[in-house]
Amino acid sequence: MQDDLRGFPSYGFSVVVKFGGSLMRDPIICKAALAEIERLTDQGHRILIVPGGGIPDKAIEAIDASHPLESFTAHHACALAQDQTGYLLADRAFSSKLVASSALGECRALAKDGKVPVLLPSRVLFTIDPVEWSWDITSDAVAAWIAWITSTPCLAILTDVDGVYREAATNDPAALIEQIDAHDLAKLGHTSIDACAANFMAKRGVPGVVINGAHPQRLAAWLERKRVTATTITVGNSNKVPIQIVASGAA
């Protein structure tokens, strides 16, 4: 998806990683996942992190459940929640190479310099206003959109489960979906990835994978074309999916 267009320099990201806010519930797991991302950066991967809403987002959802918020309030507060999570991930308490930035151009420069940019998405979202002000749109969809506008080859969603499960049976390993087309995934509704994100990936040709961030070595294995426990998301007959993900007998 990286195009060489005269006058339009490539962002050069090899993968957009949506770092699920759920991973911040356990600081040890969070730090281990970030350490693995930093190690991959040292190996030459250019990774752009898009943070989830995390703990601040859950607080907003709780308020909305008892006192329904206007769409303007919920949308803007949730975007800022992603920023807050991004700042925390980039703090030296959690990482050493992560740098928070609200500008994609600066993110490109940071990645070129061997850093791991963490996009604080609120400024981009407020300026361009690309998504609906709805609870149907989550940070998954935002990350998919970021991957598309930066022409990044794939999207890796790090979350707290091994992938997408049939009937949402996350406790049944046999229910793990090893591979699914993005169109079919969207039909399942909200799973471990939101339906709007899956539909966007299908329509815009963005392949991806859902990986358990508690096992960060799986991201490295995926990038190395090894077998891992995860769910790969394909986009029709496209050859853009760089790695085949197989769950059985995997890491």
Side-chain angles (χ1 to χ4, degrees):
M1 293 177 66
Q2 296 287 358
D3 296 321
D4 183 17
L5 295 175
R6 182 178 179 182
F8 294 86
S10 168
Y11 284 97
F13 303 126
S14 54
V15 57
V16 167
V17 172
K18 186 280 176 116
F19 198 95
S22 59
L23 297 175
M24 292 204 71
R25 296 172 188 159
D26 188 327
I28 294 177
I29 289 177
C30 180
K31 291 176 69 174
L34 295 176
E36 182 65 10
I37 290 174
E38 291 180 335
R39 188 184 71 81
L40 290 170
T41 299
D42 288 339
Q43 293 182 343
H45 294 285
R46 291 191 180 182
I47 299 173
L48 174 65
I49 292 179
V50 176
I55 297 171
D57 190 75
K58 293 302 180 184
I60 297 165
E61 290 182 9
I63 293 172
D64 180 73
S66 58
H67 299 80
L69 302 170
E70 295 179 4
S71 59
F72 174 92
T73 303
H75 171 72
H76 288 75
C78 287
L80 290 168
Q82 286 187 254
D83 284 8
Q84 292 182 64
T85 300
Y87 277 121
L88 292 174
L89 294 176
D91 189 87
R92 291 301 166 262
F94 288 96
S95 63
S96 60
K97 290 181 177 295
L98 272 65
V99 180
S101 175
S102 59
L104 283 169
E106 184 179 19
C107 287
R108 173 171 49 201
L110 288 167
K112 187 176 181 180
D113 195 37
K115 302 295 185 181
V116 184
V118 181
L119 179 65
L120 308 176
S122 69
R123 181 182 297 178
V124 176
L125 293 175
F126 296 166
T127 301
I128 303 179
D129 197 22
V131 301
E132 184 177 278
W133 298 359
S134 165
W135 288 107
D136 292 333
I137 291 287
T138 73
S139 52
D140 292 341
V142 172
W145 177 72
I146 293 296
W148 176 63
I149 65 172
T150 57
S151 295
T152 302
C154 53
L155 168 66
I157 296 178
L158 266 60
T159 184
D160 58 353
V161 294
D162 287 340
V164 178
Y165 290 78
R166 298 178 184 86
E167 306 297 330
T170 56
N171 293 321
D172 180 7
L176 179 66
I177 300 173
E178 299 174 5
Q179 180 171 304
I180 187 169
D181 184 84
H183 285 96
D184 295 329
L185 179 56
K187 294 175 183 177
L188 296 180
H190 185 76
T191 58
S192 49
I193 177 175
D194 79 63
C196 289
N199 184 61
F200 183 89
M201 293 169 74
K203 297 294 179 64
R204 294 294 183 264
V206 180
V209 66
V210 180
I211 298 179
N212 193 331
H215 303 279
Q217 71 278 6
R218 293 178 184 174
L219 177 60
W222 175 68
L223 290 170
E224 294 168 0
R225 299 177 180 270
K226 296 179 181 178
R227 301 171 66 189
V228 299
T229 299
T231 296
T232 185
I233 304 170
T234 61
V235 284
N237 295 322
S238 172
N239 292 321
K240 295 173 183 175
V241 181
I243 297 158
Q244 179 71 22
I245 307 300
V246 181
S248 57

